[in-house]
Each structure stands twice: as structure tokens, then as C-alpha cells.
Amino acid sequence: GGVAWGLYFVAPAFIIPVFGEKFVGTQSVVQMMSAVAVVQAAEAIMWPLLLAAGLHGPRLRIIVIGTILNVILNAVLIPRLGISGVLLASGVSLALIVTLFAATLRAALPIRALARPFAALLGSVALAAALAWLATAQSFLTQASACIVLFLGVVALNYWYGARADLRRAGTA
């Protein structure tokens, strides 16, 4: 989530000063990359769970499938859509990987083991996106500040809830 926030709110401001005038217009591309970063965050939550559950083989097969899809989609979409095709191909192939990871994990683990990390990710992203939409009449800095505060607040609440649940399980709360 933090990488997506940085790509959307921070990185565009540095493109021209760092890379020069020939990169005018690329800010929107970097902002579109934030959507891919959100999907990649979901993937980053899942692969350690797959490894911990001993699902190394299925993880490898899923990554190979996603990579093959990515190569095919890039070959088809780049000539038609340019850089937007790259982003679309990446987003779709990562979404497939996440979906297949989730199905594999669901078959191996109880749903309770998966609920909290995904609820935190989806909740913080949804709330931050809703807040950004509501704040469209505000300055870009106000939107960025409100979204990061909200995102960090959800992360803190999730951590607090998890710590309390761990204490209850240990019988010390």
C-alpha cells in the first residue's frame, strides 16, 4: 500500500526535476503503476504463506503460468496500447497469480488464517481510495496527506487488533 501511495502521490512530482523535460506527460503513467503496486502487495502477502504451508511446487507453477500470460499479453497489448499495454499486462498477470495463490492457500489453510491480512490490505486501500475521491476538491497535498494518515491508521489498528488477539490466545489479556 505504501508503494502505491508513493507512486501515485510522490513520484510524479520528481519525474521532471530528476529526468528532465523529455519526460513531461509520464506522470500519469507512474500514477497508473500504483494500481499494479496494490495487486503486487496482495501477492507479497501470499507468497510467504505459500512457502510456510509447504506449497513450494504450486507456487512455482503459478508463477510460471503468470509469467507466460504476461509475455503473451505484452506481445499483444504493447503494439496496440504502448506503455498502457505493459501496465495492463502486468496488472492482469499479477491478478491471475494472486487469484491462483488465494485458491491454493484456501485449499491448504483455514479461511481465518487468510482473513486478517487481506482485510487489512483491502480495507486500507478502499478507505484511502474513497478518501482521495472525496477530497478531489482539495489540493493534491491534502489528498496525499489524508490518504497516508488513513492508510497508516488502518495498519496501526490491524497491528493493535492482532496484538490483542495474540494476548487473548496466550491467556494474558
Side-chain angles (χ1 to χ4, degrees), residues 128-154:
L131 184 61
W133 178 75
L134 290 172
T136 53
Q138 305 299 318
S139 72
F140 197 67
L141 180 60
T142 302
Q143 289 179 38
S145 300
C147 287
I148 195 67
V149 166
L150 182 64
F151 177 77
L152 293 174
V154 169

Side-chain angles (χ1 to χ4, degrees), residues 2-17:
V3 171
W5 178 85
L7 285 171
Y8 191 85
F9 289 110
V10 178
F14 291 98
I15 291 174
I16 305 306

Side-chain angles (χ1 to χ4, degrees), residues 36-169:
V36 174
V38 170
V39 177
Q40 195 164 14
E43 185 265 345
I45 291 171
M46 289 188 199
W47 71 261
L49 293 171
L50 285 163
L51 294 179
L55 298 168
H56 304 82
R59 177 182 175 267
L60 177 62
R61 285 188 290 280
I62 291 168
I63 290 171
V64 168
I65 291 167
T67 302
I68 291 169
L69 177 64
N70 186 271
V71 169
I72 292 168
L73 287 175
N74 275 312
V76 171
L77 296 174
I78 290 173
R80 292 182 172 95
L81 302 174
I83 191 70
S84 296
V86 172
L87 294 172
L88 183 59
S90 296
V92 168
S93 59
L94 271 173
L96 175 67
I97 289 171
V98 167
T99 302
L100 293 175
F101 276 3
T104 302
L105 282 169
R106 178 64 186 106
L109 299 172
I111 194 71
R112 293 190 70 200
L114 305 173
R116 197 171 113 226
F118 285 101
L121 174 66
L122 294 175
S124 61
V125 169
L127 288 172
L131 184 61
W133 178 75
L134 290 172
T136 53
Q138 305 299 318
S139 72
F140 197 67
L141 180 60
T142 302
Q143 289 179 38
S145 300
C147 287
I148 195 67
V149 166
L150 182 64
F151 177 77
L152 293 174
V154 169
V155 169
L157 282 172
N158 185 58
Y159 176 78
W160 176 78
Y161 174 77
R164 300 263 311 150
D166 290 344
L167 288 173
R168 278 193 303 276
R169 278 192 294 278

